[in-house]
Amino acid sequence: MKTLMLIDVQNDFMPGGSLAVSGGNQIVPVINQIQDQFDLVVASQDWHPSEHLSFARNHLRHKAFDEIEVNGLPQTLWPAHCVQGSEGAEFHPELNLNRIAAIFRKGMNRDIDSYSAFYDNGHIQTTGLSGYLNEMKAKTLYFTGLAADFCVYFSIKDALKAGFACVLIEDATRAIDPENFKRQKQQLLADGVKIINSSDV
Ligand code: VGL
Ligand code: ZN
């Protein structure tokens, strides 16, 4: 099963959203264009309770983008985003949802963040995604979505560990910090990830 992964294509990561990724909206038509070339389309959705520990507003004396440690794990503090049931947590209104077979939600436990669509950041709790993909006989996962340097990157790392071949569709993702993403891309290439454009799927 040639599988397309849509990571967090949500309003809060789009220009105008609370954790906007520059150019994030430009990936939506790219994703819509390629969906039909896949046997299986799976989405993840960042889905936080309003008291989530990753929100700067839930930490006195800290502001957004501070790097702190919580419960023994490094944590970047974010503006509140993707709050369960909010408009910001919805998928981009122009994203074609018809072919999405399953949606995996993450970041629902207020005490731990979850960048990867597979596991929380402490690798304690699974979302069930790798079990689902194995049962669906997915072999190669093609990654798209936001943000390249957080949820896409960490999802790919976990997918590799789970034994999936991984391809990153570079024109279907955007980074919060493009410089950081440049380094991560070298890491992914060294790990055997293929990096392609949507015209080459
Ligand atoms: C994300 C930061 C916080 C992402 C989610 O989807 O990349 N980044 N929560
Ligand atoms: Zn989040």
Side-chain angles (χ1 to χ4, degrees), residues 66-167:
D66 281 358
E67 316 255 358
I68 65 168
E69 199 178 289
V70 193
N71 303 331
L73 287 177
Q75 178 67 54
T76 302
L77 295 180
W78 304 106
H81 64 279
C82 300
V83 173
Q84 296 168 357
S86 69
E87 198 190 326
E90 293 305 312
F91 293 115
H92 187 287
E94 281 155 34
L95 180 68
N96 185 350
L97 308 180
N98 296 344
R99 295 209 58 237
I100 298 176
I103 298 168
F104 284 77
R105 288 176 167 166
K106 62 188 181 66
M108 298 174 70
N109 179 344
R110 53 158 278 182
D111 296 320
I112 193 158
D113 209 356
S114 191
Y115 295 147
S116 159
F118 293 86
Y119 288 96
D120 62 58
N121 290 0
H123 268 248
I124 298 158
Q125 179 107 39
T126 177
T127 60
L129 176 56
S130 66
Y132 170 81
L133 291 171
N134 280 322
E135 184 137 322
M136 296 302 280
K137 304 202 171 351
K139 297 274 183 280
T140 303
L141 309 181
Y142 289 71
F143 282 88
T144 67
L146 303 169
D149 46 341
F150 285 91
C151 292
V152 175
Y153 175 76
F154 287 103
S155 293
I156 293 174
K157 288 298 248 185
D158 278 349
L160 291 167
K161 272 186 217 155
F164 298 102
C166 294
V167 179

Side-chain angles (χ1 to χ4, degrees), residues 6-11 14 27-28 31 90-92 95 145:
L6 312 183
I7 303 297
D8 302 0
V9 187
Q10 292 168 262
N11 290 328
M14 302 293 168
I27 73 171
V28 174
I31 292 170
E90 293 305 312
F91 293 115
H92 187 287
L95 180 68

